[in-house]
Amino acid sequence: MRTKTAAILAGLLVAPNAATAAPDPARLFTEHCAACHGGDRLGAIGPALLPQNLGRLKPGEAVNVILSGRVATQMPAFGDKLTEEDAKALAGWIFAPPERMPDWGVAEIDASRVIHGARLPAAPVHDSRPLNLFCVVETGDHHVTVLDGDRMEPIARFQSRFALHGGIKYSPDGRFAYMASRDGWVSVYDLWGLEMVVETRAGINTRNIAVSKDGKLIAVGNAVPAGVVILNARDLSPVQIIPTDSRVSAVYTAPPRHSFVVALKDTPEVWELPYDTLPLAVRRVPLEAHLDDFFFDQGYRMLMGASRDGRGQVVDLDAGRKVADLALQGMPHLGSGITFDWQGRRLMASPNLKEARITVIDTATWEVVRQIDTLGPGFFLRGHAASPYVWADVFMGPNKDAIHVIDKRGLEIVKTLRPAPGRTAAHVEFTDDGRFALVSVMENDGALIIYDAQTLEEVKRLPMRRPVGKYNVANKIRYEEGTSH
Ligand code: DHE
């Protein structure tokens, strides 16, 4: 019988068998990934590789990306350096939480700030009408196109942070565009000088941003670290961190209330943060059920929300309590809801992420006025006060290439467009006057298609790299009823 020491020596003398030795993902990460994704996995020129930031990527896809690279990004293929086993071990490792989540407080936010030295001219350097500009987010290659909405010509295109998400917001005068990435980067772009002004990383995993009515503050809703970060909108310096005991789902501005309103993922509460006085105080509104995402009436007093399990409720923010239940099924996407007038009544309409229908509700009685059957579950709805139609995508289902045009008067689909047959059609936005509607063909070699919003005929097609959302400056700053706010 061999002694223990002899066995250890034998083990040392046997050459390690590369085919059977288990890969060491931490070592592989440091060797191959850390330079771009950060030694702490917080991201650098590549995105953060923490479980919360990988939410939409499946482990199998991660293995493919590691071995084959990612088209139209700087992610190279590692198939010649790593085995499939290595890639699987790495994928498993990045989907597991780190031993200790890195801190992200005032010091880290401040230290991450990048001031770009923009010229900030006294007048626009272009002759486009500033209020009819659009910012179009192209996630295919992480760029933003600035589009002249009168000529329908791009006037600038710039690299954005990795994976922008949520609506781009604007300063009240429409000059500055504020954008947020899923990795927590907030960027300020000058639409007069066509230059990036300042950027800061306000969180590790960010949901979205909101701008105060006076344009002085930006609220950043974070899932990691859970909380709301208030930034100075001019230079993005941190003003206040408001920790939440739940991941933030979204933060919205409520201009007439002079407050930010926060939806929470894990706590059945809504938080209101009045912003006229610093530091911001927190008003907690307890609820019976979670409100994961919501939508306001045009007066910003009533909040119509749904939890992930589809329970809908109406909350009166003045009274600080639920005042009605909403008869909703599936998973209504209330964050993409819109309102419009119908027969002297104010209606709201919401797409549904799980069911092939759009629900139309009377905001006086909270009764369902109509269920409009669609060709599939949809993500976004858009209207404009000057247009008789509401446009709805249905890309969450098999008919991903269809866009319904719904007549607001009859509450029925009057036309179904297929902008690019077989290819994903998503997200519509109108010009400031409501005359044209812009639709995304949300594919890597996609396009932005401009329709005459009255005749529903195609007017122009601009090639783009997976265009997703597009945001008209005037519609956003005027809180147009058919546009997300
Ligand atoms: Fe979004 C807005 C949440 C997945 C594209 N999305 C929003 C907003 C929220 C939200 C809370 C409102 C932010 C704002 O504008 O201030 N989105 C979620 C989710 O919880 C969900 C379902 C899962 C997740 O991954 O977070 C989700 N969203 C997606 C996508 O997969 C989309 C289609 C592609 C992408 O880029 O990630 C997507 N979300 C968008 C867009 C908006 C948006 C384009 C802005 C819509 C607008 O018109 O304002």
Side-chain angles (χ1 to χ4, degrees):
M1 201 174 78
R2 291 193 302 173
T3 63
K4 196 175 166 196
T5 319
I8 292 169
L9 278 174
L12 284 177
L13 290 171
V14 174
N17 179 345
T20 52
D24 174 355
R27 185 184 57 77
L28 291 172
F29 184 88
T30 310
E31 212 169 294
H32 299 285
C33 320
C36 295
H37 295 282
D40 47 11
R41 296 164 59 186
L42 276 181
I45 60 166
L49 296 180
L50 295 163
Q52 296 86 345
N53 299 59
L54 298 168
R56 292 168 322 137
L57 183 75
K58 302 204 170 57
E61 284 172 57
V63 172
N64 281 343
V65 173
I66 293 167
L67 293 175
S68 312
R70 199 191 263 287
V71 182
T73 71
Q74 295 180 52
M75 173 70 190
F78 284 88
D80 57 343
K81 298 188 186 78
L82 299 173
T83 64
E84 195 172 335
E85 283 310 299
D86 292 339
K88 280 186 182 156
L90 263 174
W93 191 73
I94 60 173
F95 276 91
E99 273 174 28
R100 190 182 150 274
M101 191 54 92
D103 292 325
W104 208 260
V106 168
E108 288 78 10
I109 296 172
D110 217 16
S112 71
R113 245 168 8 122
V114 184
I115 297 168
H116 288 273
R119 292 160 298 164
L120 298 175
V125 296
H126 52 79
D127 63 357
S128 300
R129 203 156 53 87
L131 291 190
N132 200 28
L133 292 176
F134 289 79
C135 287
V136 187
V137 175
E138 295 179 67
T139 55
D141 60 357
H142 307 284
H143 274 68
V144 172
T145 289
V146 182
L147 185 77
D148 175 323
D150 293 324
R151 299 180 197 123
M152 291 299 168
E153 295 287 348
I155 60 166
R157 190 170 190 271
F158 61 90
Q159 176 132 37
S160 72
R161 291 285 165 174
F162 184 86
L164 294 188
H165 174 238
I168 286 184
K169 310 289 158 69
Y170 299 105
S171 54
D173 60 0
R175 173 170 185 172
F176 296 104
Y178 305 108
M179 50 209 103
S181 82
R182 287 184 182 266
D183 281 357
W185 281 96
V186 177
S187 310
V188 182
Y189 183 84
D190 178 16
L191 289 170
W192 285 13
L194 300 178
E195 283 179 315
M196 191 63 83
V197 182
V198 55
E199 295 180 280
T200 198
R201 188 167 190 179
I204 293 175
N205 183 244
T206 287
R207 296 292 296 166
N208 75 327
I209 52 170
V211 182
S212 62
K213 186 185 181 199
D214 59 10
K216 290 186 179 157
L217 299 173
I218 293 177
V220 186
N222 285 332
V224 184
V228 178
V229 173
I230 307 294
L231 301 173
N232 177 322
R234 194 172 41 83
D235 61 7
L236 296 188
S237 53
V239 173
Q240 187 180 347
I241 295 184
I242 302 162
T244 46
D245 36 19
S246 149
R247 289 168 296 165
V248 169
S249 181
V251 56
Y252 295 104
T253 189
R257 307 181 68 80
H258 293 226
S259 64
F260 296 120
V261 182
V262 186
L264 300 169
K265 262 193 195 306
D266 315 305
T267 313
E269 285 179 8
V270 166
W271 287 22
E272 183 167 25
L273 315 174
Y275 47 61
D276 283 344
T277 315
L278 291 176
L280 280 68
V282 179
R283 175 179 172 231
R284 297 168 82 136
V285 178
L287 303 170
E288 289 161 23
H290 291 82
L291 266 196
D292 198 37
D293 201 7
F294 54 72
F295 168 71
F296 297 96
D297 67 343
Q298 282 293 91
Y300 286 86
R301 173 172 172 180
M302 298 298 183
L303 195 154
M304 296 152 258
S307 58
R308 284 284 135 145
D309 61 10
R311 280 180 72 183
Q313 51 181 320
V314 182
V315 176
D316 180 334
L317 276 178
D318 285 352
R321 61 183 170 81
K322 181 185 96 172
V323 288
D325 288 307
L326 287 175
L328 298 168
Q329 282 114 33
M331 195 188 280
H333 195 212
L334 283 162
S336 280
I338 58 167
T339 58
F340 54 92
D341 283 328
W342 181 75
Q343 301 181 359
R345 296 149 80 179
R346 191 82 188 157
L347 303 185
M348 72 141 302
S350 161
N352 199 305
L353 298 173
K354 287 227 172 114
E355 294 194 357
R357 66 164 64 143
I358 288 164
T359 308
V360 185
I361 291 171
D362 185 331
T363 62
T365 61
W366 306 113
E367 309 260 294
V368 174
V369 174
R370 190 74 54 90
Q371 298 276 16
I372 303 171
D373 291 332
T374 59
L375 280 176
F379 219 92
F380 301 111
L381 264 191
R382 264 305 195 271
H384 192 288
S387 166
Y389 303 121
V390 169
W391 295 53
D393 59 40
V394 289
F395 71 87
M396 300 295 281
N399 292 294
K400 61 178 187 177
D401 56 355
I403 293 270
H404 293 306
V405 181
I406 298 164
D407 191 326
K408 284 195 244 181
R409 294 153 295 195
L411 299 181
E412 60 187 5
I413 296 171
V414 287
K415 190 160 185 175
T416 296
L417 301 164
R418 299 215 183 239
R423 323 201 71 207
T424 310
H427 195 272
V428 179
E429 173 62 303
F430 286 82
T431 45
D432 63 343
D433 55 7
R435 281 190 55 211
F436 297 95
L438 285 63
V439 179
S440 292
V441 176
M442 202 173 68
E443 307 271 352
N444 268 335
D445 55 343
L448 195 67
I449 307 188
I450 295 116
Y451 287 91
D452 182 313
Q454 194 67 40
T455 65
L456 310 181
E457 294 298 324
E458 180 176 331
V459 174
K460 193 166 186 177
R461 195 170 277 237
L462 298 165
M464 294 209 178
R465 310 284 308 183
R466 199 174 187 273
V468 191
K470 58 211 77 70
Y471 310 94
N472 178 274
V473 173
N475 289 344
K476 275 286 204 195
I477 64 175
R478 291 177 191 149
Y479 305 106
E480 158 59 38
E481 64 177 28
T483 294
S484 60
H485 295 174

